Amino acid sequence: MAAPSLDISANRSAIKWSNKALVGRVLWAMAHPFFAWTPRPLWVWRRALLRLFGASIGDLVQIYPSVRITIPWNLSIGKDSSVGDRATLYALGPISIGRAVTISQNSHLCAGSHDYRRSDMKLIKPPITIGDGAWICADAFIGPGVDIGEHAIVGARAVVTTSVDARMIVAGNPANVIRERDEPSAES
């Protein structure tokens, strides 16, 4: 039995964004240099610019200037969180990052994909949720529709395509549970 052929022209002609969203994306592209070309310590400026574009950004959030954010109004970041150098927040769908979360350098949160089961490869925008106190280590990939539980750790270069329970440490490609995260201890 022959596999159905892809209808690329149907994908390209599909309406994926409202006119308002298209205008917003153009304006964000024009404003992006004012985000990216700022010195690292200007956390307040980058928070303000993202809020201007509809992002919900908590107090004391640190977002590095090299972070790539596709659609800021689909982004929510809780107080005291940090997004490291060259991280990608591909927010075609909603990305919700809790309080005191660390998104390390080069991590990729991908809230968008295509429905491979359809011949037109329709664009889909499943949300990503990162729970309070979680740590997404360097170069990790978090796929569409994934929930990372509170205080979970995603190891360096892990590829996460299914949700991770609270306090679990996962690593690898595909990510597998390594063990449960210990309770924090008092500093010595």
Side-chain angles (χ1 to χ4, degrees), residues 92-109:
L92 298 187
I95 294 178
S96 177
I97 298 170
R99 294 171 53 112
V101 170
T102 299
I103 308 293
S104 294
Q105 68 274 13
N106 297 311
S107 294
H108 188 138
L109 280 61

Side-chain angles (χ1 to χ4, degrees), residues 22-147:
L22 290 171
V23 168
R25 292 184 75 178
V26 168
L27 291 174
W28 173 242
M30 291 169 49
H32 187 263
F34 298 103
F35 179 94
W37 296 346
T38 57
R40 184 174 283 181
L42 291 182
W43 314 113
V44 172
W45 169 256
R46 287 187 293 280
R47 286 194 302 261
L49 189 58
L50 287 170
R51 288 174 183 144
L52 181 67
F53 277 87
S56 175
I57 307 294
D59 293 335
L60 305 176
V61 169
Q62 295 186 343
I63 302 174
Y64 284 71
S66 60
V67 172
R68 293 171 302 213
I69 299 168
T70 306
I71 302 177
W73 53 91
N74 283 341
L75 183 60
S76 172
I77 304 177
K79 181 180 179 183
D80 294 321
S81 290
S82 177
V83 183
D85 273 330
R86 298 170 309 281
T88 298
L89 304 179
Y90 193 61
L92 298 187
I95 294 178
S96 177
I97 298 170
R99 294 171 53 112
V101 170
T102 299
I103 308 293
S104 294
Q105 68 274 13
N106 297 311
S107 294
H108 188 138
L109 280 61
C110 181
S113 189
H114 295 273
D115 187 346
Y116 66 89
R117 298 166 294 189
R118 293 176 49 134
S119 65
D120 64 353
M121 298 283 289
K122 180 182 178 187
L123 180 65
I124 55 176
K125 307 166 192 173
I128 292 173
T129 302
I130 311 293
D132 294 348
W135 177 18
I136 310 301
C137 296
D139 292 312
F141 175 85
I142 310 297
V146 170
D147 293 330

Side-chain angles (χ1 to χ4, degrees), residues 167-179:
R167 305 201 69 76
M168 290 297 118
I169 300 172
V170 299
N173 179 4
N176 290 302
V177 173
I178 304 301
R179 64 182 177 88

Side-chain angles (χ1 to χ4, degrees), residues 144-160:
V146 170
D147 293 330
I148 304 295
E150 291 186 359
H151 303 286
I153 297 174
V154 174
R157 297 201 168 176
V159 175
V160 182

